[in-house]
């Protein structure tokens, strides 16, 4: 489905889903928004260059020396901060696994016509910055405030609606979530594509909440109605439904593909004998309880590595005595609230939060 005509005039009538071959438009989005290489799942921390990217519009190139973060709207003491002032505030580093809400979208049928992620829109970084809550408190939200919006410097159109990328969090959500104002990733200044000079990180939630190129925080006495808050990131079955908002990351696990790949199909070949299968499991801020590996009809319990932190994925491994044959390996995680990954995707119109088990096709030779 290629779009024709003027996309800057709403409302748009394009179909929301597609089946079969990927269009040139989807491929172009995939080229801009790179994913993690699954072999990098063997690392606790994803290298900056190996972390997935999702940018809706263009990357704004911001001069850090003149950038100001503005606190505006219904604050008693609105102010603006320079990057030097933000860096001088108490700094902390958190290890956070971030996953795009659209990860797995291309595994649904029909799929949403959007960025066609399979499994790779996930990564874990050490994010350095300052906690947001004390700064909000300093700005003094008035008693009537019910929402805070976080808006980036990037502007564009979606479905004929012009907007800056923006998201919001209620006072209760802000209190419950350890939101950070972040300027470093893995000990290096943020790269432009990851939000330089300043972004937020909302640990435990899907990536859309972690607004990049943060420009202003507005205290609101009505709920925020920005496009990215209201018109997308909702679980819907039909386009006229309001739907529930997408928030916390669902339990999920991935496997480092074992052995060696075939270039195009990514099917794997390995030698028979002892094989160490490994991967990662995560569930937002909820601990991982169990990971099971499916081999030739049976589920086996994997060993869990030491947790890296409340908001980070957990390593798992399993020693497999591989006999010659053809297998579809799979891994399945269960979190501490007893949520377990489904075997098949739970379909929704935008293809959000697909946490169905991953399958890896393996040919074991003598
Ligand atoms: N300003 C702005 N922030 C944004 C986005 C965006 O397009 N613009 N994309 C969001 C989405 S959907 C995701 S998944 C994460 C991706 O962050 P990353 O590119 O650093 O991995 O950023 C979020 N923050
Ligand atoms: Mo995303």
């Amino acid at each position: 489905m290629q779009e024709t005509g003027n996309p800057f005039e709403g409302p748009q009538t394009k179909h929301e889903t597609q089946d079969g071959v990927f269009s040139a438009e989807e491929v172009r989005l995939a080229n801009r928004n790179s994913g993690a290489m699954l072999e990098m799942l063997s690392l606790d921390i994803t290298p900056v260059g190996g972390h997935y990217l999702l940018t809706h519009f263009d990357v704004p190139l911001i001069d850090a020396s003149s950038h100001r973060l503005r606190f505006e709207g219904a604050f008693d003491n609105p102010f603006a901060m320079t990057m030097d002032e933000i860096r001088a505030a108490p700094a902390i580093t958190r290890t956070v696994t971030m996953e795009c809400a659209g990860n797995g979208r291309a595994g649904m049928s029909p799929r949403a016509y959007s960025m066609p992620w399979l499994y790779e829109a996930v990564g874990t970084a050490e994010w350095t910055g300052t906690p947001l809550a004390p700064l909000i408190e300093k700005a003094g939200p008035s008693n009537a405030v019910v929402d805070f919006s976080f808006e980036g410097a990037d502007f564009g159109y979606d479905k004929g609606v012009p907007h800056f990328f923006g998201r919001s969090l209620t006072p209760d959500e802000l209190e419950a979530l350890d939101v950070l104002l972040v300027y470093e990733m893995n000990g290096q200044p943020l790269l432009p594509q990851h939000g330089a000079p300043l972004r937020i990180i909302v640990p435990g939630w899907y990536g859309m909440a972690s607004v990049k190129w943060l420009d202003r925080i507005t205290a609101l006495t009505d709920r925020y109605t920005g496009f990215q808050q209201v018109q997308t990131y909702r679980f819907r079955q039909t386009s006229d439904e309001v739907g529930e908002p997408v928030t916390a990351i669902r339990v999920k696990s991935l496997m480092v593909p074992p052995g060696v790949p075939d270039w195009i199909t990514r099917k794997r070949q390995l030698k028979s004998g002892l094989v160490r299968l490994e991967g990662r499991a995560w569930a937002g801020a909820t601990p991982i309880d169990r990971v099971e590996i499916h081999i030739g009809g049976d589920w086996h319990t994997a060993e869990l590595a030491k947790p890296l932190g409340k908001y980070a994925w957990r390593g798992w491994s399993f020693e497999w005595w591989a006999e010659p044959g053809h297998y579809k390996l799979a891994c399945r995680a269960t979190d501490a609230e007893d949520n377990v990954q489904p075997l098949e995707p739970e379909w929704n119109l935008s293809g959000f939060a697909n946490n169905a088990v991953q399958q890896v096709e393996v040919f074991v030779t003598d």
Side-chain angles (χ1 to χ4, degrees):
M1 179 173 47
Q2 299 280 337
E3 296 306 318
T4 53
N6 182 349
F8 303 103
E9 285 170 1
Q12 298 291 307
T13 53
K14 77 167 190 193
H15 299 195
E16 296 207 45
T17 59
Q18 169 102 344
D19 239 347
V21 293
F22 294 100
S23 70
E25 289 174 345
E26 287 170 295
V27 172
R28 182 168 51 211
L29 286 181
N31 288 338
R32 285 183 59 78
N33 295 292
S34 54
M37 288 165 267
L38 295 181
E39 57 272 33
M40 289 201 190
L41 287 167
S42 61
L43 301 170
D44 283 341
I45 304 298
T46 312
V48 173
H51 196 282
Y52 84 91
L53 285 172
L54 195 294
T55 296
H56 289 75
F57 306 135
D58 290 350
V59 171
L61 300 167
I62 297 172
D63 177 2
S65 65
S66 61
H67 188 65
R68 299 279 183 284
L69 171 63
R70 292 175 281 137
F71 290 77
E72 31 179 66
F75 285 116
D76 294 336
N77 174 36
F79 57 86
M81 289 178 94
T82 65
M83 287 307 300
D84 284 346
E85 288 166 339
I86 291 168
R87 283 192 207 98
I92 67 164
T93 298
R94 273 191 197 287
T95 306
V96 178
T97 296
M98 188 158 67
E99 182 180 12
C100 181
N103 199 16
R105 169 182 291 133
M108 291 191 188
S109 177
R111 66 177 183 274
Y113 194 65
S114 182
M115 171 64 205
W117 293 118
L118 291 164
Y119 294 112
E120 52 294 281
V122 61
T124 298
E126 292 180 320
W127 301 99
T128 300
T130 194
L132 175 67
L135 295 172
I136 297 262
E137 208 168 301
K138 184 178 158 204
S142 85
N143 288 337
V145 169
V146 298
D147 218 0
F148 296 97
S149 68
F150 300 85
E151 288 177 313
D154 48 330
F155 185 87
Y157 285 74
D158 193 349
K159 299 199 169 111
V161 180
H163 60 280
F164 285 93
F165 187 95
R167 291 278 310 178
S168 74
L169 294 168
T170 65
D172 286 349
E173 286 166 346
L174 260 188
E175 205 184 303
L177 301 164
D178 288 320
V179 181
L180 282 184
L181 274 184
V182 161
Y183 44 82
E184 277 180 19
M185 182 179 182
N186 294 357
Q188 299 160 36
L190 282 181
L191 291 177
Q193 56 270 45
H194 286 296
L198 187 68
R199 73 180 301 170
I200 54 171
I201 288 290
V202 180
W205 279 31
Y206 282 108
M208 72 285 154
S210 295
V211 176
K212 305 193 273 190
W213 312 292
L214 185 65
D215 187 61
R216 56 200 173 273
I217 299 175
T218 309
L220 300 166
T221 54
D222 289 305
R223 291 299 297 272
Y224 182 60
T225 57
F227 181 93
Q228 303 289 338
Q229 185 69 28
V230 173
Q231 279 162 269
T232 178
Y233 297 113
R234 307 189 81 98
F235 292 108
R236 295 174 302 155
Q237 299 294 309
T238 60
S239 51
D240 45 18
E241 206 184 308
V242 177
E244 285 299 310
V246 175
T247 58
I249 298 176
R250 286 180 179 169
V251 62
K252 192 160 174 179
S253 61
L254 290 176
M255 182 185 302
V256 176
V260 297
D262 169 53
W263 154 238
I264 294 285
T265 64
R266 310 313 289 182
K267 291 181 185 182
R268 319 294 301 184
Q269 185 190 53
L270 42 100
K271 280 244 181 304
S272 61
L274 194 63
V275 177
R276 185 172 185 274
L277 300 174
E278 59 170 339
R280 304 272 157 189
W282 63 93
T286 309
I288 290 296
D289 247 19
R290 190 163 73 242
V291 174
E292 299 157 287
I293 315 304
H294 190 79
I295 305 171
D298 296 315
W299 289 99
H300 306 270
T301 304
E303 197 170 311
L304 296 180
K306 231 178 77 200
L308 279 182
K310 179 174 176 187
Y311 298 112
W313 57 20
R314 189 151 178 202
W316 60 261
S317 62
F318 180 74
E319 308 261 293
W320 173 36
W321 188 262
E323 304 281 359
H326 175 208
Y327 301 86
K328 279 187 182 156
L329 306 178
C331 53
R332 173 172 78 178
T334 304
D335 72 16
E337 289 168 9
D338 249 16
N339 298 302
V340 53
Q341 289 184 251
L343 299 180
E344 295 297 329
E346 289 161 14
W347 190 89
N348 62 86
L349 188 64
S350 306
F352 290 136
N354 179 2
N355 66 337
V357 299
Q358 169 201 21
Q359 288 206 339
V360 182
E361 208 174 328
V362 168
F363 293 82
V364 180
T365 60
D366 279 318

